Amino acid sequence: MRSVCLLGVKAELGAGTRGASLGFDAVKIASLSKNKSFFQQYPYQEIAISNDALFHTSPHIFAKNIDEILKNQITICEQVHLCLKKNHFPFIISGDHSSASATIAGIKKTFPDKTLGVIWIDAHADLHSPYTTPSGNMHGMPVAIALAEDNITEKINEVPPITALYWEKLKNLGVKGAKFSPNHLVYVSVRDTEPQEEAFIAKNKIRNYTVEEIRRRSVEVVVREILEEKLADCDLIYISFDVDSMDSSISVGTGTPVAGGLSVTEAKEINALLVQDIRVCAWEMVEINPLLDTKGNKMGEVAFEVMESTLQSSKKTKSYEKSEITSLSI
């Protein structure tokens, strides 16, 4: 059984809409409304970061608030690193998705010689850089940061030198350069991408398991293929779960909902099965925004359900060995 290190990160600076920093509190309230003792059973730590930059206009139009995001990511990276050094299992509830690159940096700082695999469960690829972004919102950039990837062949923006400097510092957080390889990146439920991201995905042959494929082949078959085939060569695995991976009828309290996503049952099953792999060293849930929730705290409640079942399942760890998988053609 792994000792859980429950971390709350009230990240807000990378999103285009306000309210993601309240996601952690929304999940805690959901726990109380369900009369659960979860946050007593698993004491939590809130990582101290600042969102004060929201009260000022960012000069970095292609990477909004990147200077303050860098400061926050240094703190997040260090806290994840300390958690892992104590042989704990980081379970992270964060605000906007930009914080995920700091989590990955913390993992790599702790295990610089280990091969890391990343499972990105999301409606979006989050592969933009300041050179390719159409919005400048940094919650669309964490995968590119962790890959140390500019995707310069798809460049649409002329990035000022000061922004480029901060971008380089972010890419080198924790350890210098890329934290993992595109060969060890797996997408689940991604369905809303821009041409710049699509070009990088195609060039690097990055696998995306669509909702249609998951339903056709079954969650269990897809999960086993990810763990036993796609990430077979990885020593460690990080899972990032964005609530907008679920269908927009469910993810009513998130900044960028997209139709055609996972059901709650599918989200719970996917995370529960993945996290049983002993190589999984951190799990993160992001983008809960109660200010956008049109159904009270429904998003927080669903997120809590997914988190609770995932954490319980993480106690049932096992080692996966590469085996013959019988599956439908894709």
Side-chain angles (χ1 to χ4, degrees):
M1 185 182 297
R2 291 179 280 188
S3 175
V4 171
C5 175
L6 189 60
L7 301 175
V9 183
K10 295 185 175 182
E12 174 93 11
L13 297 179
T17 55
R18 304 282 61 85
S21 61
L22 302 174
F24 184 48
D25 291 328
V27 173
K28 289 193 293 180
I29 290 168
S31 174
L32 291 172
S33 69
K34 292 175 179 289
N35 295 315
K36 299 282 188 172
S37 59
F38 186 92
F39 288 94
Q40 289 76 43
Q41 184 180 357
Y42 301 103
Y44 61 89
Q45 174 189 352
E46 289 189 21
I47 299 178
I49 63 171
S50 173
N51 291 306
D52 289 349
L54 292 172
F55 296 99
H56 309 281
T57 301
S58 175
H60 305 281
I61 60 173
F62 300 125
K64 295 172 186 175
N65 303 309
I66 191 172
D67 46 352
E68 295 301 318
I69 285 173
L70 173 62
K71 294 177 185 177
N72 288 339
Q73 292 217 2
I74 290 170
T75 301
I76 297 166
C77 171
E78 188 61 27
Q79 289 300 314
V80 171
H81 169 61
L82 291 174
C83 183
L84 290 167
K85 274 187 67 177
K86 295 176 182 177
N87 296 316
H88 293 164
F89 179 43
F91 232 73
I92 305 158
I93 307 169
S94 189
D96 80 76
H97 215 162
S98 66
S99 65
S101 56
T103 300
I104 295 171
I107 295 170
K108 200 62 179 177
K109 179 177 179 178
T110 313
F111 305 107
D113 299 322
K114 299 290 187 181
T115 300
L116 179 63
V118 171
I119 303 172
W120 203 262
I121 309 171
D122 198 329
H124 309 91
D126 294 341
L127 261 173
H128 279 297
S129 75
Y131 301 94
T132 68
T133 177
S135 70
N137 295 326
M138 292 201 67
H139 68 169
M141 303 184 191
V143 177
I145 294 171
L147 287 172
E149 179 59 56
D150 298 338
N151 197 13
I152 208 71
T153 58
E154 303 299 320
K155 176 180 175 181
I156 61 172
N157 302 320
E158 292 295 332
V159 178
I162 186 62
T163 303
L165 177 62
Y166 281 115
W167 177 249
E168 291 302 313
K169 289 182 178 180
L170 271 178
K171 291 192 296 182
N172 291 302
L173 183 62
V175 297
K176 187 175 181 180
K179 312 305 183 287
F180 66 102
S181 164
N183 295 330
H184 297 139
L185 170 63
V186 175
Y187 284 125
V188 175
S189 190
V190 168
R191 56 198 185 277
D192 185 14
T193 53
E194 277 83 39
Q196 299 85 359
E197 296 174 303
E198 292 161 8
F200 185 84
I201 290 169
K203 177 182 176 181
N204 291 278
K205 299 179 181 178
I206 298 170
R207 189 69 160 88
N208 176 34
Y209 290 90
T210 65
V211 174
E212 185 278 331
E213 180 182 349
I214 292 166
R215 290 174 181 167
R216 174 164 51 84
R217 299 179 65 199
S218 85
V219 167
E220 184 176 3
V221 166
V222 166
V223 166
R224 291 188 69 87
E225 184 170 293
I226 291 170
L227 297 174
E228 299 181 6
E229 300 292 326
K230 299 302 177 184
L231 301 182
D233 299 329
C234 296
D235 304 310
L236 300 170
I237 294 172
Y238 159 75
I239 301 170
S240 194
F241 173 68
D242 189 321
V243 295
D244 71 22
S245 62
M246 295 183 285
D247 189 71
S248 54
S249 63
I250 302 162
S251 55
V252 290
T254 193
T256 49
V258 182
L262 300 167
S263 69
V264 177
T265 300
E266 289 164 340
K268 290 168 69 174
E269 188 178 359
I270 288 168
N271 282 287
L273 290 175
L274 286 172
V275 82
Q276 289 179 23
D277 191 314
I278 194 65
R279 296 174 297 166
V280 175
C281 61
W283 183 87
E284 186 163 9
M285 179 170 63
V286 302
E287 295 283 358
I288 303 150
N289 188 335
L291 294 187
L292 300 176
D293 201 329
T294 58
K295 299 182 180 180
N297 192 30
K298 185 64 176 179
M299 188 78 267
E301 292 171 358
V302 169
F304 175 74
E305 283 183 39
V306 176
M307 181 188 71
E308 184 180 38
S309 67
T310 302
L311 193 147
Q312 292 299 321
S313 188
S314 73
K315 300 174 183 178
K316 306 171 186 176
T317 55
K318 56 186 176 182
S319 297
Y320 278 82
E321 296 179 359
K322 194 171 183 178
S323 65
E324 190 72 24
I325 297 177
T326 302
S327 60
L328 298 173
S329 60
I330 59 174

